[in-house]
């Protein structure tokens, strides 16, 4: 393929994706609306895409940029002079490392566990799975915030970490970090604050005079904080920060290995070779925006969030799950309305909103991560139309036979035959061809009727079938 054809193909393939710019994609991507800053960041990514953060003595530029970014973040999280940090590839890696470091700080605890609120990000369950740290999941209160007393009571001899969110992804509310961190500190246990999505918003919200519950290193007992550059720092994908109160707390995260014939491997993160691209992209973005830029962007995003939350509260058919503490909005149906159909109707109008399946006694919901570039009036107009269209469309029919089948299937032993039936029932396979249907509501309704373990099994099997080498 020649260069022109390759460029054309890249553009054509990307056309199938959700738009990254425009503020109409309310999950996965975060848009500042500042095209010049984006262009600058992409230049930086391109210029450093081949550089390798594996060895800071070979690529001192990347170490310098990392140290600059950590210093900038220190202002945001009330970091003490002793605070240190590491750039990771994303929020999940930051959370994984917080768990790994906490585990390895206590080699004498042979059955390590961590106390987490049930609203904690799934990244911590991934960490539990990867690192053999048992997750002790504590129910949240009726306000969806972590129950500090219940979490304190759940700490025992095996606890190596306690986690709070600022805010939680699904509900967008900040946990009572002061009480949780105090309980952890009293027992000599580390306390991680997952501010992956709020870390670049809440500090500016406070500077704008909004009420923000304490969540930073100003809170005694907080030992580490994760904050994503590729979310509300509006940096290109692949950058997050894991910040520790002291170098000693970070130390177990570092890995060195000299016992092989090659170079002595010395890694600060899960990755060894680390592309310089995301580091340079984040550095360029943060330099270009600065605190003043972020203050403006946060004002825009929070104003848009306020407008959207008020609009939803006033809208017949939807109710807010909680009053937003930052830029996240979640809403559920309060009448005969299918929220999955609302997602489809929004997609028809070129808006992407994220469906959240029912959980425990909580109904399915819509989730929005509002960006500075999101136009709240245009959003609300589309939402109003979408809700009206969804009510008119009525409930999504789910095959009773399939629902019965779901109750009998064992997630651990899901076979190919049963999977084929499920795929067909969900509209994920037509005529033997695997693919996403035009409308996702039937798929979501089907998944929603399944218990969580079965949802996982079905989605894993689906991904497994999607991810196969190109044929023909
Ligand atoms: C996004 C997010 C994560 C995971 O981050 P990724 O960058 O998607 O890996 C973890 N915790 C919270 C609260 C988040 O919002």
């Amino acid at each position: 393929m020649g260069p022109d054809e390759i460029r054309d193909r890249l553009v054509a393939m990307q056309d199938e994706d959700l738009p990254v710019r425009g503020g109409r994609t309310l999950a996965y991507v975060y848009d500042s609306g500042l095209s010049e800053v984006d262009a600058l960041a992409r230049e930086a990514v391109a210029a450093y895409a081949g550089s390798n953060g594996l060895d800071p003595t070979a690529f001192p530029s990347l170490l310098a940029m990392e140290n600059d970014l950590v210093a900038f973040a220190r202002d945001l999280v009330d970091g003490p002079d002793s605070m240190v940090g590491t750039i990771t590839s994303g929020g999940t890696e930051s959370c994984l490392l917080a768990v790994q470091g906490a585990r390895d700080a206590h080699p004498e605890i042979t059955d390590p566990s961590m106390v987490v609120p049930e609203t904690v990000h799934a990244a911590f369950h991934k960490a539990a799975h990867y690192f053999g740290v048992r997750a002790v999941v504590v129910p949240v209160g009726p306000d969806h915030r972590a129950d500090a007393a219940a979490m304190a009571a759940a700490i025992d001899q095996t606890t190596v970490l306690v986690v709070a969110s600022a805010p939680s992804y699904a509900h967008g509310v900040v946990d009572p970090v002061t009480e949780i961190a105090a309980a952890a500190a009293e027992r000599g246990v580390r306390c991680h604050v997952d501010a992956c999505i709020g870390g670049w918003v809440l500090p500016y919200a406070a500077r704008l005079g909004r009420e923000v519950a304490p969540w930073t290193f100003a809170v005694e007992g907080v030992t580490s904080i994760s904050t994503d550059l590729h979310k509300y720092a509006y940096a290109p994908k692949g950058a997050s920060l894991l910040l520790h109160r002291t170098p000693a707390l970070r130390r177990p995260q570092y890995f060195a290995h000299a016992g092989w014939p090659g170079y002595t491997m010395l890694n600060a993160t899960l990755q060894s070779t680390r592309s310089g691209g995301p580091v340079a992209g984040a550095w360029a973005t943060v330099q270009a925006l600065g605190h003043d830029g972020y203050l403006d962007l946060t004002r825009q995003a929070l104003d848009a969030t306020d407008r959207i939350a008020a609009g939803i509260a006033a809208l017949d058919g939807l109710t807010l799950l909680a009053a937003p503490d930052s830029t996240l909005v979640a809403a559920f149906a309060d009448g005969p309305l299918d929220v999955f159909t609302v997602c489809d109707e929004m997609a028809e109008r070129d808006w992407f909103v994220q469906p959240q399946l029912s959980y425990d006694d909580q109904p399915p919901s819509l989730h929005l991560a509002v960006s500075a570039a999101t136009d709240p009036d245009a959003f609300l107009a589309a939402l109003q139309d979408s809700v009206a269209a969804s009510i008119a469309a009525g409930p999504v029919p789910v095959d009773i036979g399939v629902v019965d089948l779901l109750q009998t299937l064992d997630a651990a032993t899901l076979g190919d035959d049963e999977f084929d039936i499920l795929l067909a029932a969900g509209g994920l396979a037509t005529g033997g061809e695997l693919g996403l249907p035009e409308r996702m509501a039937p798929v979501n309704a089907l998944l929603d009727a399944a218990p969580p373990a079965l949802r996982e099994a079905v989605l894993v099997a689906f991904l497994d079938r999607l991810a196969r080498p190109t044929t023909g």
Side-chain angles (χ1 to χ4, degrees):
M1 228 184 274
D4 286 339
E5 194 188 347
I6 291 173
R7 285 191 195 96
D8 290 348
R9 286 283 292 274
L10 287 170
V11 170
M13 284 191 287
Q14 202 161 32
D15 242 24
E16 303 293 309
D17 297 347
L18 288 174
V20 169
R21 302 282 159 238
R24 298 171 79 100
T25 306
L26 298 176
Y28 312 124
V29 299
Y30 304 81
D31 185 10
S32 69
L34 303 173
S35 53
E36 279 167 36
V37 175
D38 281 342
L40 192 65
R42 274 145 201 249
E43 269 174 48
V45 171
Y48 279 84
S51 304
N52 193 342
L54 165 63
D55 182 348
T57 64
F59 295 91
S61 58
L62 298 176
L63 179 66
M65 287 190 265
E66 177 169 35
N67 285 336
D68 282 350
L69 285 165
V70 172
F72 190 94
R74 187 171 54 201
D75 287 349
L76 301 182
V77 299
D78 304 313
D81 289 344
S82 60
M83 192 201 88
V84 292
T86 307
I87 291 203
T88 71
S89 62
T92 298
E93 190 179 12
S94 293
C95 297
L96 288 174
L97 288 172
V99 175
Q100 174 268 324
R103 182 196 68 175
D104 292 344
H106 287 284
E108 79 286 359
I109 298 179
T110 53
D111 173 28
S113 67
M114 59 180 160
V115 175
V116 300
E118 64 182 335
T119 50
V120 83
H121 195 278
F124 288 90
H125 295 283
K126 186 173 181 178
H129 178 67
Y130 278 14
F131 300 132
V133 176
R134 195 164 32 88
V136 177
V137 179
V138 179
V140 298
D143 58 358
H144 305 292
R145 296 179 208 279
D147 179 340
M151 287 183 67
I155 299 174
D156 67 19
Q157 305 299 322
T158 67
T159 311
V160 295
L161 185 68
V162 174
V163 184
S165 309
S168 61
Y169 183 83
H171 304 95
V173 296
V174 177
D175 287 334
V177 174
T178 305
E179 291 80 1
I180 293 168
E186 195 183 309
R187 304 287 293 266
V189 173
R190 290 179 180 219
C191 175
H192 180 79
V193 175
D194 180 7
C196 278
I197 202 156
W200 233 266
V201 172
L202 296 174
Y204 296 109
R207 291 179 194 190
L208 289 167
R210 288 174 180 252
E211 207 179 308
V212 175
W215 63 277
T216 63
F217 286 115
V219 178
E220 222 174 303
V222 171
T223 54
S224 58
I225 293 175
S226 49
T227 174
D228 289 351
L229 293 158
H230 65 198
K231 286 179 183 155
Y232 285 101
Y234 297 106
K237 290 298 178 224
S240 167
L241 288 170
L242 175 58
L243 308 169
H244 283 101
R245 185 183 281 278
T246 65
L249 286 161
R250 179 176 61 179
R251 189 66 59 80
Q253 171 194 320
Y254 282 5
F255 177 81
H257 191 76
W260 72 305
Y263 59 91
T264 297
M265 202 164 85
L266 177 59
N267 293 160
T269 68
L270 293 172
Q271 293 184 306
S272 191
T273 285
R274 282 200 280 171
S275 171
V279 179
W283 186 86
T285 307
V286 168
Q287 301 308 316
L289 288 170
H291 288 305
D292 291 344
Y294 285 118
L295 205 59
D296 283 343
L297 291 171
T298 305
R299 185 186 294 113
Q300 288 172 41
L302 288 173
D303 285 351
T305 307
D306 287 349
R307 300 270 289 280
I308 288 172
I312 290 176
L315 192 67
D316 256 356
L318 285 174
T319 295
L320 290 175
L321 226 87
D325 278 347
S326 65
T327 50
L328 306 180
V329 182
F332 61 93
D334 60 11
L337 171 69
D338 179 70
V339 292
F340 303 134
T341 304
V342 176
C343 291
D344 286 343
E345 290 294 334
M346 287 299 277
E348 295 269 333
R349 293 162 178 79
D350 293 326
W351 286 90
F352 179 84
V353 300
Q354 192 172 47
Q356 297 189 133
L357 301 181
S358 56
Y359 170 82
D360 230 357
D361 54 7
Q362 189 178 292
S365 55
L366 304 175
H367 188 272
L368 322 171
V370 179
S371 285
T374 303
D375 176 347
D377 297 325
F379 173 85
L380 285 170
L383 185 65
Q384 200 163 6
D385 291 350
S386 296
V387 165
S390 303
I391 291 173
V396 177
V398 180
D399 189 320
I400 294 297
V402 173
V403 173
D404 287 344
L405 174 69
L406 287 174
Q407 306 311 319
T408 63
L409 288 181
D410 178 0
T413 61
L414 191 64
D416 264 1
D417 293 350
E418 289 150 332
F419 183 64
D420 281 339
I421 296 171
L422 288 176
L423 278 181
L428 288 168
T430 38
E433 278 288 304
L434 203 59
L436 291 183
E438 279 290 301
R439 293 180 75 89
M440 290 298 291
V443 181
N444 285 318
L446 183 75
L447 288 170
D448 204 60
L454 193 57
R455 293 175 187 168
E456 292 163 3
V458 168
L459 289 173
V460 164
F462 181 57
L463 179 61
D464 172 65
R465 292 200 183 181
L466 279 181
R468 294 291 164 89
T470 309
T471 52

